[in-house]
Amino acid sequence: MTTLNIAPEVELALGEGRPVVALESTIISHGLPRPRNREAAHEFESILRDAGVTPATIAVIDGIPTVGLDDAGLAIIADHDIAKASVRDLPILMAKGLSGATTVAATAHIAARAGIRVFATGGLGGVHRDASESFDESADLSTLAVTNITVVSAGVKSVLDIAATLERLETLSVPVIGYGTTKFPSFWLTDSGFTLDWLAKDADEVARIMRAHDDTSHGQGIVIANPIPVEKQWDPGEHDHVLAEALLAAERADIRGKAVTPFLLGYIVDASAGRSLEVNLDLARNNIRVAGDIATAWARLNS
Ligand code: PSU
Ligand code: MN
């Protein structure tokens, strides 16, 4: 991408081999309600800066894929109604000079082009529950199959078919590694009931896996599954009940395509009177801290 706009501080950090973490913008524009989303965008960056890591929030601004947003850029993704952009939307936004918030797929794609190795998000997209009929599977998965980046996430949301999502990641040869545990989380909940084959005991071990992956992979990514601590998870009873309601509401309203995930997230925040939102913010912070540690370990390993 010749038209990539990389912020000077990000370019400098990458050039000097210092740690950089990419951050997603769809979580800000479509995943969190206003005005908390703008606070969150700034807070997410501060968590990294406080840890000596350079943040690179990614979005398309006026047609230019941008790596490292300034305050004006953050305001565009937080306060304006902009497109949710996956990888396939990038050339269209670019040609039309439009802005868009990048999904996990598009963020990973742009970050990798910029030479960033570590990326933090809330939850990955995956296979939807009705996928055998709707064919709705997030491009997050197909993109991670061809994009060498390490993504830290709290698993995938329980709105998805978690078993099918894990199967697809296996088929796509994307390693899924628990951070300090083999329990795979389901976003708001610490344990989805699915067990992973492998865990990494700390950030240094993840960095060593990344190095070995570079020698053996065909260019796919790595998923680090980082559960929220159990004392901070959403109440499982309320979770089950609100989730069932949200899935029914999406079906009744005949929501399809890229509107599905934002619809479910918005419904769940409202129906839980914001309790799910606090958990969402906590798990994102938690992922960002771990991504910062991994980026730091990666920089150390390569120094
Ligand atoms: N998970 C979240 N919050 C989000 C998303 C996922 O907890 O905002 C967003 C991410 O940007 C992810 C996208 O890449 O939803 C997946 O959308 P879809 O299911 O349409 O592929
Ligand atoms: Mn979809």
Side-chain angles (χ1 to χ4, degrees):
M1 262 186 244
T2 44
T3 45
L4 213 56
N5 178 4
I6 304 181
E9 65 162 341
V10 174
E11 184 110 66
L12 194 65
L14 289 170
E16 292 179 353
R18 286 187 282 112
V20 175
V21 168
L23 297 170
E24 184 214 333
S25 47
T26 294
I27 185 177
I28 303 300
S29 63
H30 291 73
L32 298 169
R34 294 175 192 149
R36 288 295 292 281
N37 63 340
R38 173 122 74 108
E39 282 166 43
H42 286 278
E43 190 199 341
F44 292 167
E45 294 207 339
S46 305
I47 291 170
L48 291 169
R49 287 188 204 286
D50 291 349
V53 176
T54 303
T57 304
I58 292 179
V60 181
I61 304 293
D62 297 333
I64 303 176
T66 303
V67 180
L69 299 184
D70 55 15
D71 286 351
L74 290 175
I76 288 173
I77 60 167
D79 305 341
H80 296 253
D81 292 322
I82 60 169
K84 170 182 166 183
S86 193
V87 176
R88 71 171 186 166
D89 303 300
L90 296 176
I92 302 164
L93 295 175
M94 290 166 73
K96 289 179 180 286
L98 296 174
S99 297
T102 48
T103 62
V104 167
T107 306
H109 177 76
I110 294 170
R113 293 291 180 107
I116 298 175
R117 296 298 308 257
V118 184
F119 167 23
T121 184
L124 288 183
V127 180
H128 285 258
R129 287 181 180 226
D130 61 349
S132 62
E133 279 179 23
S134 68
F135 278 72
D136 190 353
E137 174 184 340
S138 177
D140 292 356
L141 301 187
S142 49
T143 301
L144 284 175
V146 295
T147 308
N148 187 5
I149 195 155
T150 298
V151 188
V152 182
S153 89
V156 298
K157 270 186 266 4
S158 31
V159 304
L160 300 172
D161 184 334
I162 299 177
T165 303
L166 288 170
E167 291 293 349
R168 289 292 292 148
L169 287 164
E170 180 180 350
T171 303
L172 298 169
S173 298
V174 174
V176 182
I177 303 160
Y179 196 71
T181 174
T182 54
K183 292 190 167 93
F184 189 70
S186 60
F187 197 69
W188 303 283
L189 301 183
T190 305
D191 184 1
S192 66
F194 291 91
T195 304
L196 298 170
D197 290 339
W198 300 105
L199 66 78
K201 62 180 192 301
D202 55 26
D204 289 307
E205 189 165 61
V206 175
R208 289 196 300 277
I209 292 169
M210 288 165 65
R211 172 169 279 180
H213 180 76
D214 281 352
D215 287 341
T216 56
S217 78
H218 55 254
Q220 70 273 43
I222 295 175
V223 171
I224 301 297
N226 182 41
I228 188 165
V230 71
E231 66 278 7
K232 290 196 157 181
Q233 75 172 355
W234 192 8
D235 174 68
E238 186 180 34
H239 162 272
D240 293 354
H241 149 90
V242 169
L243 175 66
E245 230 178 71
L247 290 168
L248 198 63
E251 197 186 313
R252 289 216 175 111
D254 199 24
I255 308 292
R256 285 167 203 268
K258 70 193 215 179
V260 171
T261 298
F263 176 90
L264 291 171
L265 285 174
Y267 189 98
I268 288 168
V269 169
D270 291 343
S272 69
R275 282 182 293 277
S276 69
L277 175 60
E278 297 312 319
V279 182
N280 191 342
L281 289 167
D282 267 342
L283 66 85
R285 294 179 186 113
N286 201 35
N287 293 341
I288 291 163
R289 277 189 289 270
V290 166
D293 289 347
I294 293 170
T296 303
W298 176 251
R300 204 184 304 128
L301 188 67
N302 291 288
S303 67

